[in-house]
């Protein structure tokens, strides 16, 4: 599991240390500072996944720090904490770009849930950028890459399904691009001018998910400082995409079923009934029929959602699309590099349990780690297929080009140089990412903590 880097700015020492200990035990890599100025200094030195700022701090207050922080790291999700809660302050924080707002003393469990939700949304945005690059442009911003028969059949069925109004269930493994198919259902439908709102149905506990979906009245629960419409209402006239529907709590499943039957919602803490016109598209990487048998998913909801099912094929079932995807990824990354035949052959032999997402990550890794314009198997972290051992691994390489491990020397020499190769690859990844440790760790396929240990162990320093 990835360790997220978190920046905490809080001038009250005891509360700062309490939060740091609590969040560190949860696996976060917490950098704790006492002022907005120190927070900005930290942001200039390192990229963070999220931040928590106290509203009242010496010098720069939370809002001013937030505005400056988003100039340094534009995508940074920020939570604002304050002991002076008011609707006006909350509105000011949200308008300034805060992800959410909590009053002190805050419920630490609730803070953790909101923080996880912020990180999930950011991860989803990053993931979607990668997944969208898995598709060739096919009108209205959708991109589909591939000419395989399984993909063609899926798109033909998707286009037909899009014209109706019934719920749609999208099935497929993680990384296959289920949200992209959901967006295609929306954009190819008569609802294309309406909103498309995605939500992870298994990311929140039941009470918070119910509030997120159906909204709540002011004072409905602790922290509900204002009335809030739910995502079902906000998606009115468009499409609500419920990802990971198989992980939705059973009590929320019952409320979703009732909405599908009546198209009526009632906000938490209200008696007023609101009628909403929205299409539900759900996705899962689980077999819902098995979940029904295990008692984890309602059978009546399953049949209500499974009016039409779209199955997104895994990449291993459409391997003929891999060369086209690789070419597309290289172009989208703005790279003039190219795969050697051996690298492409190694890719074609992979199982790709992570599907298109895994392929994109491998191509990105190869672009960064390749020392020249030819991406070899070792740049991808893959081995040369047995049938190709002894062949040059860099197409077009002349006598002075880098030799592959199999081109000379014995096994002892190869293993003796393993640490030097690893050190060079780590140094290259850090250099290419401007010593952004989080990005470098992702490219190398290791955790941030592992990368820190490697940096310390090899004595790596910027500018070496």
């Amino acid at each position: 599991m990835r360790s997220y880097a978190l920046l905490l700015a809080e001038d009250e020492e005891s509360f700062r240390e309490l939060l740091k200990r609590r969040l560190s035990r949860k696996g976060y890599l917490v950098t704790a500072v006492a002022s907005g100025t120190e927070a900005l200094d930290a942001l200039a030195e390192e990229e963070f996944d999220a931040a928590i700022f106290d509203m009242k701090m010496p010098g720069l207050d939370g809002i001013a720090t937030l505005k400056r922080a988003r100039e340094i790291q534009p995508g940074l999700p920020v939570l604002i904490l304050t002991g002076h809660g008011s609707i006006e302050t909350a509105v000011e924080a949200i308008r300034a770009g805060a992800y959410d707002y909590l009053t002190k003393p805050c419920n630490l469990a609730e803070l953790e849930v909101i923080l996880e939700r912020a990180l999930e949304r950011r991860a989803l945005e990053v993931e979607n950028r990668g997944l969208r690059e898995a598709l060739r442009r096919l009108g209205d911003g959708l991109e589909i890459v591939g000419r395989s028969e399984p993909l063609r059949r899926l798109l033909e069925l998707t286009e037909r399904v899009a014209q109706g109004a019934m719920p749609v269930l999208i099935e497929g493994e993680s990384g296959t691009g289920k949200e992209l198919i959901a967006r295609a259902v929306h954009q190819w439908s008569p609802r294309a001018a309406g909103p498309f709102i995605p939500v992870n149905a298994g990311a929140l506990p039941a009470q918070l998910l119910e509030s997120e979906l159906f909204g709540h009245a002011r004072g409905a629960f602790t922290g509900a400082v204002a009335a809030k419409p739910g995502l079902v209402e906000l998606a009115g006239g468009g499409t609500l995409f419920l990802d990971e529907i198989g992980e939705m709590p059973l009590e929320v499943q019952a409320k979703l079923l009732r909405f599908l039957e009546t198209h009526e919602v009632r906000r938490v803490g209200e008696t007023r009934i609101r009628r909403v016109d929205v299409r539900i598209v759900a996705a899962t990487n689980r077999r819902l029929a098995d979940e029904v048998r295990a008692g984890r998913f309602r059978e009546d909801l399953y049949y209500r959602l499974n009016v039409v099912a779209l199955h997104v094929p895994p990449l291993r079932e459409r391997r003929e699309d891999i060369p086209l995807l690789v070419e597309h990824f290289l172009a989208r990354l703005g790279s003039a590099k190219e795969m050697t035949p051996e690298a492409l052959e190694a890719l074609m032999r992979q199982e790709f349990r992570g599907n298109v997402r895994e392929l994109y990550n491998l191509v990105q890794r190869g672009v960064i780690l390749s020392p020249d314009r030819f991406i070899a198997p070792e740049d991808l972290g893959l081995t040369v297929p047995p049938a190709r051992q002894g062949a040059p691994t860099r197409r077009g390489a002349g006598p002075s080009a880098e030799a592959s491990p199999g081109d000379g020397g014995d096994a002892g020499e190869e293993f003796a140089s393993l640490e030097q190769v690893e050190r060079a690859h780590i140094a290259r990844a850090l250099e290419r990412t401007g010593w952004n440790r989080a990005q470098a760790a992702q490219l190398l396929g290791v955790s941030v903590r592992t990368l820190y240990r490697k940096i310390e162990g090899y004595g790596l320093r910027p500018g070496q």
Side-chain angles (χ1 to χ4, degrees), residues 214 255 258-259 262-266 273-276:
F214 303 113
K255 297 181 184 299
R258 186 159 56 247
F259 170 72
T262 65
H263 291 281
E264 294 177 344
V265 298
R266 185 175 64 188
I273 300 295
R274 305 165 192 265
R275 187 166 181 83
V276 182

Side-chain angles (χ1 to χ4, degrees), residues 340-343 376-377 384 388-397 402-404 407:
T340 64
E342 293 74 26
V384 180
R388 307 289 299 184
Q389 290 286 353
T393 61
R394 298 197 180 279
R395 180 170 53 190
E402 178 182 336
S404 72
D407 284 342

Side-chain angles (χ1 to χ4, degrees), residues 144-218:
I144 307 288
V145 167
R147 293 192 288 264
S148 64
E149 183 64 18
L151 185 61
R152 186 187 63 79
R153 289 197 303 267
L154 170 64
L155 294 177
E156 287 179 353
L157 181 57
T158 300
E159 190 168 11
R160 292 200 301 272
V161 167
Q163 305 310 309
M166 74 292 287
V168 177
L169 179 63
I170 303 174
E171 301 173 312
E173 298 175 4
S174 295
T176 51
K178 294 186 291 296
E179 180 170 344
L180 287 163
I181 297 302
R183 289 183 181 274
V185 171
H186 173 72
Q187 294 189 20
W188 295 344
S189 78
R191 297 174 176 269
F196 175 89
I197 297 184
V199 58
N200 189 318
L204 298 174
Q207 183 181 11
L208 287 176
L209 180 59
E210 180 183 355
S211 170
E212 190 79 5
L213 287 176
F214 303 113
H216 60 75
R218 179 180 180 181

Side-chain angles (χ1 to χ4, degrees), residues 5-7 29 31 39 42-43 46-51 73 76-77 122:
L6 179 65
L7 176 61
L29 302 175
T31 297
L43 286 165
E46 181 178 351
E47 183 167 338
F48 291 89
D49 296 296
Q73 296 185 22
L76 182 71
R122 190 183 192 197

Side-chain angles (χ1 to χ4, degrees), residues 297-371:
F297 200 84
R298 293 180 62 107
E299 185 174 20
D300 45 7
L301 178 59
Y302 171 61
Y303 288 118
R304 174 69 68 170
L305 290 172
N306 197 29
V307 177
V308 178
L310 299 174
H311 176 74
V312 185
L315 188 55
R316 61 185 173 276
E317 291 182 6
R318 56 183 190 103
R319 291 182 186 275
E320 59 267 44
D321 291 335
I322 291 176
L324 293 174
L325 285 165
V326 168
E327 183 180 348
H328 178 70
F329 290 154
L330 289 171
R332 297 291 284 178
L333 289 168
S335 173
K337 295 186 178 184
E338 56 183 295
M339 293 281 172
T340 64
E342 293 74 26
L344 190 57
E345 184 177 350
L347 287 173
M348 294 290 286
R349 289 170 178 249
Q350 296 304 300
E351 281 300 303
F352 284 115
R353 294 297 174 183
N355 293 293
V356 174
R357 185 187 309 151
E358 180 184 350
L359 176 60
Y360 175 79
N361 289 340
L362 283 174
V363 173
Q364 189 177 41
R365 171 193 170 113
V367 167
I368 290 175
L369 297 184
S370 172

